[in-house]
Amino acid sequence: MNQNDLITPVILSGGSGTRLWPVSTDKCPKQFLNLTGPLSMFQLTLERCRETSLFDLPIIVGGTKHADLAEQQMDEIGANVLAHILEPCARNTAPAIALAALACKDPQDLMLVMPSDHVIKNVTLFQEAVRQSISLAKARWLVTFGIEPQEAETGYGYIQQGEPLVGSENSFAAQRFVEKPNRTNAEKMLAEGGFHWNAGIFLFRADTYLEALAKQAPEMLQAAANAMEKADRDQTQIKPDEASFASAPSDSIDYAIMEKAEKVAVTPVNPGWSDVGSWDSLFEISKSDDDANVTSGDVVAVESNNNLIHADGLEITTFGVEHLIIVANGDQVMILPKGQSQNVRKIVTARKNTD
C-alpha cells in the first residue's frame, strides 16, 4: 500500500457517558479510564492504528474540556497525530465526523471512524476486515462494520445484511438499520440470521462522506465548514469556531447519513468487540478469579462469588455475597445486583436530585 492509500483513523473521544458511574465522570469519562488493563480505552484505540503499512497519523475529535487529558494520554504512549480537533460544543457524531473529513489532507483520503471507548481483543482480525473493505470505500461506498451477535442484545442497534457485493471478499449491501429492539425482536433477528450489531465503526472516503452530508444534511455541512474555516490552529490542535459549530443540527451519523444513503455496505467481523457500555459488560470481558469474581483495587472477597468489585480509594471486603456489582471511587460507593447496571443512569439522576 503506497502512502496515498493509507487510511486516516478518526478517533471520536467526545463522549462523557454516565453508565460507568461513579468511576466514569464528566471530568474523566470512561474512554480515559484504565478499566481493562494498564492502558485506557482511548490509548488502546490509538494503539489499534499503529500499523504503518495500513494507517496514516490519526485525527482525534474530542471535547475542549478533555483536551489536556487526551494530550497527556497521547504523550504517555508516544502517539503522534495529524490533528486534534477540539469541539467547542457537543453536536453528536455526524458533525464531529464532518470536522475530521474537512481536516483530511486530501478529499479522497480514506477515513476509519472509531469511538474511543470500545474494546477490540483481536486487533489483527479487525485490521483484516478493514483491509478487505478498502476497495469498497475507494469505490465510494460508506462501509460500516457489523459485529456478529453473541446473544439477543437489546442495548445495541442492528444492521441487516442484503446481497453480497461483487468483487468484495466478505461484504454485503446494508439492507436496513434497526433501532435498539425489545427482547422478542432481538431473538427473532438472531434466529433469522444476517443481522449484526452496529458498532459505530465506519470506513469511507472523506469526500464521499461530505457529499452525503451535502445531500442529506446541508445545514450541518455548512456549519462544520464555517467552523473549520474560522478555526484557531496551534500546531496539531484545531479549535473550530464555536458560533458556527453550535448552529449545526445535533445528529448521529446513523440518523443523518447511514440510514438514508444509497451505497451503504456492511462488513461482518467478530474481533472480540465490546462497547464496555455497562458494569455488566465490563464483567463479561474481564478475567475472573476461581470464584468467578472480577476485582480491581484493594479487594478481599471471602466466600463470595460471581461479583464485580472495583475499589479505588477504599478497601472493600465482602463475605458471603454473590451476583453483586460493588464500585467505590473515592467517597462514592454504588451497590446493585448484577444484570441491573442499565439502571446506573437512574442512580445518577437520583443522586443529582438529592444534591
Side-chain angles (χ1 to χ4, degrees):
M1 186 177 290
N2 63 48
Q3 186 67 29
N4 294 335
D5 288 337
L6 293 179
I7 296 169
T8 299
V10 174
I11 299 173
L12 304 178
S13 67
S16 54
T18 58
R19 291 181 293 174
L20 291 178
W21 186 87
V23 175
S24 175
T25 64
D26 189 49
K27 185 177 179 181
C28 186
K30 72 170 184 174
Q31 63 265 32
F32 299 113
L33 298 172
N34 300 14
L35 291 173
T36 62
L39 297 181
S40 72
M41 287 184 283
F42 174 67
Q43 290 172 320
L44 289 170
T45 309
L46 284 164
E47 291 289 302
R48 210 172 293 145
C49 46
R50 289 272 203 185
E51 179 54 64
T52 56
S53 68
L54 183 61
F55 297 116
D56 205 340
L57 292 177
I59 295 173
I60 312 299
V61 186
T64 303
K65 62 185 172 184
H66 300 132
D68 291 343
L69 182 55
E71 297 273 358
Q72 176 190 329
Q73 293 204 354
M74 286 187 268
D75 289 343
E76 285 175 2
I77 61 171
N80 296 315
V81 300
L82 178 64
H84 184 191
I85 302 173
L86 304 180
E87 292 178 283
C89 55
R91 306 308 293 153
N92 215 316
T93 54
I97 296 166
L99 297 177
L102 291 162
C104 284
K105 292 183 289 189
D106 187 292
Q108 295 187 20
D109 283 351
L110 295 177
M111 302 165 55
L112 178 66
V113 178
M114 296 177 286
S116 61
D117 57 354
H118 293 181
V119 166
I120 291 178
K121 291 186 175 181
N122 192 332
V123 174
T124 301
L125 191 63
F126 171 70
Q127 290 179 347
E128 184 55 35
V130 172
R131 288 183 195 273
Q132 291 175 0
S133 304
I134 287 174
S135 60
L136 282 176
K138 283 186 173 182
R140 307 188 74 94
W141 285 83
L142 298 160
V143 182
T144 182
F145 294 89
I147 307 299
E148 182 182 324
Q150 305 302 305
E151 58 182 321
E153 174 63 55
T154 60
Y156 304 139
Y158 287 70
I159 308 160
Q160 183 181 19
Q161 71 184 45
E163 293 298 314
L165 292 174
V166 177
S168 170
E169 293 182 53
N170 183 37
S171 298
F172 303 83
Q175 187 165 322
R176 66 182 174 119
F177 285 73
V178 182
E179 291 298 304
K180 295 176 182 177
N182 59 32
R183 174 66 59 182
T184 300
N185 288 338
E187 289 173 351
K188 284 181 182 177
M189 287 189 289
L190 205 65
E192 182 179 335
F195 286 87
H196 311 278
W197 289 340
N198 184 357
I201 302 173
F202 308 95
L203 179 70
F204 38 66
R205 278 171 39 170
D207 56 359
T208 302
Y209 181 72
L210 294 175
E211 286 174 18
L213 269 184
K215 183 176 181 180
Q216 306 293 349
E219 311 92 342
M220 188 183 294
L221 175 59
Q222 191 61 56
N226 291 344
M228 289 297 278
E229 187 178 330
K230 301 174 187 176
D232 290 331
R233 299 169 188 264
D234 181 11
Q235 297 180 329
T236 58
Q237 275 200 1
I238 300 175
K239 298 179 180 178
D241 178 66
E242 182 170 5
S244 300
F245 193 62
S247 71
S250 178
D251 214 345
S252 72
I253 179 176
D254 287 327
Y255 287 138
I257 301 299
M258 304 302 286
E259 294 182 6
K260 301 173 183 175
E262 294 174 7
K263 292 182 68 172
V264 178
V266 56
T267 298
V269 62
N270 188 25
W273 171 89
S274 172
D275 72 343
V276 199
S278 67
W279 288 109
D280 283 300
S281 63
L282 181 62
F283 180 91
E284 293 300 328
I285 66 170
S286 300
K287 188 175 181 180
S288 58
D289 63 19
D290 292 341
D291 295 313
N293 296 305
V294 172
T295 64
S296 59
D298 194 343
V299 174
V300 177
V302 182
E303 296 184 28
S304 302
N305 63 81
N306 204 27
N307 302 290
L308 183 147
I309 309 172
H310 177 98
D312 188 353
L314 283 178
E315 298 177 4
I316 297 181
T317 307
T318 65
F319 182 90
V321 301
E322 58 184 17
H323 307 300
L324 290 180
I325 295 170
I326 304 171
V327 182
N329 184 35
D331 59 359
Q332 295 176 310
V333 180
M334 178 187 70
I335 304 171
L336 72 165
K338 270 186 74 230
Q340 294 291 316
S341 61
Q342 73 273 17
N343 292 311
V344 168
R345 282 179 173 165
K346 293 180 183 177
I347 295 172
V348 173
T349 300
R351 259 277 149 219
K352 286 180 179 176
N353 292 339
T354 62
D355 290 343

